[in-house]
Amino acid sequence: MTQPVSPPRDSTGKVPSAARPPVWQGLSARADVRTLSLLGVLAALLLIGGITKPDEFLDTRNLQLVLTQASVIGVVTVGMTFVITSGGIDLSVGAIVALASVWATTVATQEYGFGGILFTAVAVGVGCGLVNGLLIAYGGMVPFIATLAMLASARGLALQITDGKTQIVTVDGVLDLGERDAYVLGVPPLVLVFAVVTVIGWLVLNRTTFGRRTVAVGGNAEAARLAGIDVRRQRLYLYLLSGLCCGVAAFLLIVLSGSGQNTNGNLYELDAIAAAIIGGTLLSGGRGTVTGSVLGVLIFTTITNIFALNNLQSDVQQIAKGAIIVAAVLVQRRTASTT
């Protein structure tokens, strides 16, 4: 029987660094543990929902509703994950979604049909992201201040456009996407869009130079600059990406609600940040996970659905979310202290 071979040791009895497993293996193992933990939490929530309200919660229509509701904030969270990974923050995502949704549902815009609504929503989102990116990357403004200013401005402009009224969508092509006849093998189109955005986000963050640069900027911006990365341009691109995700989310919200309102996207920034945090993305930057962020979105959406089915008050729901966020941050700090 072959005996296991122990790693070589030096004169002091320690394992040489060359014989030790590479650091990335440890990081990958911790990422797997986080993902499995999130899957365990999600499974526990599904079990709770199935026990407390088996007929309602496990109904196909309700599960489709959970996924559909997760799709809008989920797309926003993918963009937020990139921004936080780079060491930034975007407090304006909810306001951008509101502005894009009302701008895309004005009477003048709807005259251009499906394409006009989609183009306007995406263009407004990218435009707001461009302003954020220029102020932060080339204007030297702190992300917190720049995006807070965008939050106030976008909300105000959205209110001015609507005059506080709901703008009803009359374009059949948009409304039809929300009907059950548009489902593909029982999956709502909004969920398919969310899935595509998630896959693209994962590939970009984990398999491209853009993703590696994003992590490098978040880990140490000065070291990234010395390594030849144009940090300012990278940050501009990241806020453009966040704005793009907001524009796509605004269109999905238009499809879901059939209208545009200045109150759309309320507190989306907090939900997106919270989902990214519990998913394992570091607030200080340098580490991000699209998979974890998506699981965080599903966890929060499932909690909301369970509370609604059980007629529990929203304040209890917010307390539960807050407790989950605090627990996630504490776990992050503990993990960081052991690395």
Side-chain angles (χ1 to χ4, degrees):
M1 181 176 179
T2 304
Q3 297 294 326
V5 179
S6 59
R9 300 178 182 273
D10 57 20
S11 58
T12 63
K14 296 181 179 180
V15 178
S17 58
R20 296 171 188 165
V23 175
W24 65 265
Q25 288 187 358
L27 294 175
S28 177
R30 283 192 290 274
D32 290 340
V33 171
R34 284 194 300 270
T35 301
L36 291 175
S37 299
L38 291 171
L39 287 172
V41 172
L42 184 58
L45 289 173
L46 294 175
L47 181 62
I48 292 172
I51 293 175
T52 56
K53 291 288 182 178
D55 295 333
E56 295 91 340
F57 181 78
L58 296 178
D59 183 73
T60 302
R61 290 177 179 268
N62 182 64
L63 296 178
Q64 290 172 337
L65 175 63
V66 171
L67 292 175
T68 301
Q69 292 175 337
S71 299
V72 180
I73 185 61
V75 171
V76 175
T77 303
V78 171
M80 182 69 79
T81 300
F82 277 84
V83 172
I84 296 178
T85 301
S86 71
I89 198 72
D90 192 347
L91 300 178
S92 63
V93 291
I96 294 176
V97 169
L99 179 59
S101 69
V102 300
W103 206 323
T105 54
T106 60
V107 175
T109 302
Q110 292 194 52
E111 291 179 355
Y112 293 93
F114 183 99
I117 293 177
L118 175 59
F119 174 80
T120 302
V122 172
V124 171
V126 172
C128 292
L130 175 62
V131 174
N132 280 336
L134 289 175
L135 289 175
I136 295 167
Y138 294 96
M141 291 187 67
V142 177
F144 182 92
I145 301 300
T147 57
L148 184 62
M150 176 59 72
L151 183 156
S153 301
R155 282 288 178 194
L157 185 54
L159 178 60
Q160 186 178 53
I161 291 175
T162 62
D163 194 24
K165 300 176 183 178
T166 299
Q167 298 177 163
I168 305 300
V169 177
T170 58
V171 179
D172 292 335
V174 175
L175 297 174
D176 290 344
L177 287 178
E179 301 295 330
R180 296 189 65 83
D181 293 340
Y183 288 13
V184 179
L185 300 177
V187 180
L190 273 67
V191 178
L192 294 177
V193 173
F194 178 33
V196 170
V197 171
T198 299
V199 172
I200 293 176
W202 186 90
L203 290 173
V204 170
L205 185 60
N206 296 281
R207 294 291 185 269
T208 67
T209 301
F210 182 87
R212 290 190 291 272
R213 288 175 178 172
T214 300
V215 175
V217 170
N220 190 322
E222 181 61 20
R225 186 187 67 81
L226 294 175
I229 297 175
D230 190 330
V231 175
R232 293 191 298 179
R233 184 172 61 186
Q234 184 70 17
R235 284 174 174 161
L236 173 62
Y237 288 162
L238 287 166
Y239 282 95
L240 282 172
L241 176 60
S242 179
L244 173 62
C245 289
C246 289
V248 174
F251 180 76
L252 297 182
L253 191 56
I254 291 171
V255 173
L256 183 62
S257 62
S259 64
Q261 304 176 53
N262 66 286
T263 56
N264 282 343
N266 188 34
L267 297 181
Y268 272 18
E269 56 277 357
L270 300 183
D271 288 341
I273 293 171
I277 290 173
I278 72 168
T281 299
L282 283 180
L283 269 176
S284 56
R287 187 183 76 200
T289 162
V290 173
T291 302
S293 296
V294 170
L295 289 174
V297 169
L298 293 176
I299 287 173
F300 278 142
T301 308
T302 304
I303 289 175
T304 301
N305 184 259
I306 292 175
F307 274 62
L309 291 178
N310 286 276
N311 297 318
L312 296 176
Q313 297 180 356
S314 59
D315 55 350
V316 181
Q317 173 185 324
Q318 297 303 323
I319 292 173
K321 284 186 176 181
I324 292 175
I325 295 171
V326 170
V329 172
L330 290 176
V331 169
Q332 280 193 2
R333 289 175 61 87
R334 182 177 180 83
T335 302
S337 65
T338 57
T339 56

